[in-house]
Amino acid sequence: MSETRIDHDRLFKELLSTFFEEFVLLFFPHVHEQIDFHYLSFLSEEVLTDVTAGEKHRVDLLVETKLRGEDGLIVIHIEHQSYIQSSFSERMFIYFSRLFQKHRRRILPIAIFSYDAIRDEPSSFTVSFPFLTVLDFRFLTIELRKLPWREYIRHDNPVAAALLSKMGYNEDEKVEVKKEFLRMLTRLELDEARQRLLFGFFETYLRLSEEEEVRLRNEVKTMEEKEAAKVMELIVSYEQKGMEKGMEKGIEKGMEKAKLDVAKRMLAKGFDADTIHELTGLPLETIEQLKP
């Protein structure tokens, strides 16, 4: 899949909003202990305008919740970053200040770095003089490529399963990573919708070649019989869904081509665009483009 066609922010937002508590528990257990997850509300999308740069930025995810034993509300801001940006920590501070100005609540900022390069990302933004530190803004960070994937396969956590696809594996380990993902998926026993979300997320970032898929099946056969049967059932199920989806797309393309052929013949026979639009359902703009 082409990199430019992947809406990284949407994928991460969907994953984290569906499994928000599991995300916090996995990466920030000390934060999880303090949050009252009985009160949880996802706030509407925020669009922040950078007047100086003339740009608009969308805040990825805002969650309103409470701390245990406290009445006041807090806001958790999660920002996903799929590319390297030298001024990212400054941007995090700008987001924080704008959000604080609007909500007037304590805000916990979290940044997730998912690009493939391995580098040390800052977790603070400082403004200082030799005689005074004016600002020392800090935020929590997760650098996915630095995470050793093997340490997460024993977590019965859906976020861990999905994010195996973005952790620190090498090319030779791809088959093993997918095998462990499938094993985790069978243990989680999620409903079909959530299972599909995890599978779709994983496959977006880690896709095996045909040869690697054959190796995967052979490795699954060496697993304990009952587990192997569950994993193989999962593989076959998603292969069938993929084929059905492909067939549906093929049928849609075929129907569209047939409509275009009919429209061309009608134009050749002198039918006007409005009549063709009414009979075929094709947009008038498309019909005009078909005219010789």
Side-chain angles (χ1 to χ4, degrees):
M1 185 177 292
S2 171
E3 185 76 9
T4 56
R5 293 180 183 176
I6 300 174
D7 188 343
H8 300 284
D9 292 339
R10 182 190 62 78
L11 284 170
F12 272 80
K13 184 175 182 178
E14 190 174 359
L15 176 70
L16 300 185
S17 59
T18 303
F19 300 105
F20 177 73
E21 182 175 357
E22 292 88 344
F23 163 74
V24 177
L25 176 62
L26 180 66
F27 292 114
F28 307 108
H30 60 295
V31 176
H32 184 272
E33 290 176 1
Q34 301 295 324
I35 294 178
D36 181 1
F37 287 94
H38 291 100
Y39 183 90
L40 203 64
S41 175
F42 293 93
L43 301 180
S44 59
E45 188 177 71
E46 298 273 358
V47 179
L48 305 179
T49 303
D50 186 337
V51 178
T52 305
E55 298 175 347
K56 288 186 178 182
H57 301 283
R58 297 181 185 274
V59 173
D60 287 339
L61 191 65
L62 283 178
V63 184
E64 187 178 69
T65 185
K66 293 181 178 182
L67 296 184
R68 296 181 189 274
E70 294 188 13
D71 292 332
L73 299 174
I74 66 166
V75 173
I76 299 178
H77 164 214
I78 301 175
E79 191 67 19
H80 166 246
Q81 186 72 1
S82 61
Y83 60 93
I84 296 172
Q85 183 183 32
S86 59
S87 61
F88 179 77
S89 59
E90 179 182 336
R91 180 156 66 88
M92 282 294 286
F93 169 68
I94 292 171
Y95 285 2
F96 175 87
S97 60
R98 300 275 181 85
L99 292 171
F100 183 80
Q101 184 180 29
K102 177 176 180 178
H103 296 280
R104 296 292 178 174
R105 293 181 191 146
R106 287 179 292 175
I107 298 171
L108 175 64
I110 301 173
I112 306 172
F113 300 97
S114 69
Y115 48 73
D116 291 335
I118 296 177
R119 51 182 267 136
D120 294 324
E121 283 288 352
S123 58
S124 64
F125 177 69
T126 305
V127 177
S128 64
F129 298 93
F131 49 85
L132 177 68
T133 298
V134 177
L135 173 69
D136 186 13
F137 168 71
R138 298 177 181 276
F139 51 95
L140 298 174
T141 62
I142 304 166
E143 296 179 65
L144 291 175
R145 254 319 173 216
K146 287 185 176 181
L147 301 181
W149 67 273
R150 294 181 189 277
E151 293 185 10
Y152 289 85
I153 59 178
R154 297 301 171 196
H155 290 266
D156 286 335
N157 186 305
V159 176
L163 291 181
L164 286 182
S165 61
K166 294 298 291 178
M167 292 184 185
Y169 57 85
N170 58 49
E171 283 295 306
D172 295 334
E173 295 175 315
K174 285 170 61 180
V175 172
E176 192 176 356
V177 173
K178 184 167 182 180
K179 180 182 73 174
E180 294 300 334
F181 163 73
L182 292 169
R183 294 178 73 185
M184 293 174 75
L185 216 54
T186 57
R187 292 199 305 269
L188 287 167
E189 297 182 344
L190 300 169
D191 61 75
E192 186 179 354
R194 294 187 176 203
Q195 190 180 83
R196 189 179 302 165
L197 167 60
L198 297 184
F199 205 99
F201 185 99
F202 184 91
E203 288 271 298
T204 298
Y205 294 111
L206 196 161
R207 189 175 292 275
L208 301 183
S209 65
E210 290 185 15
E211 182 183 342
E212 288 169 331
E213 287 288 353
V214 172
R215 282 176 47 204
L216 172 64
R217 286 171 176 264
N218 290 335
E219 290 195 18
V220 169
K221 290 175 184 176
T222 67
M223 293 163 51
E224 185 272 328
E225 186 177 353
K226 187 177 290 186
E227 185 180 30
K230 287 183 179 179
V231 171
M232 192 59 74
E233 182 182 350
L234 195 61
I235 292 173
V236 172
S237 171
Y238 277 90
E239 282 182 349
Q240 288 176 341
K241 286 172 184 172
M243 288 173 63
E244 289 170 1
K245 191 173 182 181
M247 288 172 64
E248 287 174 4
K249 285 186 177 179
I251 291 169
E252 287 176 7
K253 285 183 179 179
M255 291 175 65
E256 189 69 17
K257 186 177 182 302
K259 286 182 180 180
L260 291 172
D261 289 341
V262 169
K264 287 177 182 177
R265 290 199 297 271
M266 292 179 74
L267 284 169
K269 290 183 178 181
F271 285 86
D272 62 84
D274 288 332
T275 302
I276 297 172
H277 165 69
E278 185 179 344
L279 294 175
T280 65
L282 289 171
L284 289 170
E285 182 181 348
T286 301
I287 296 167
E288 291 295 332
Q289 291 172 357
L290 294 174
K291 289 182 178 180

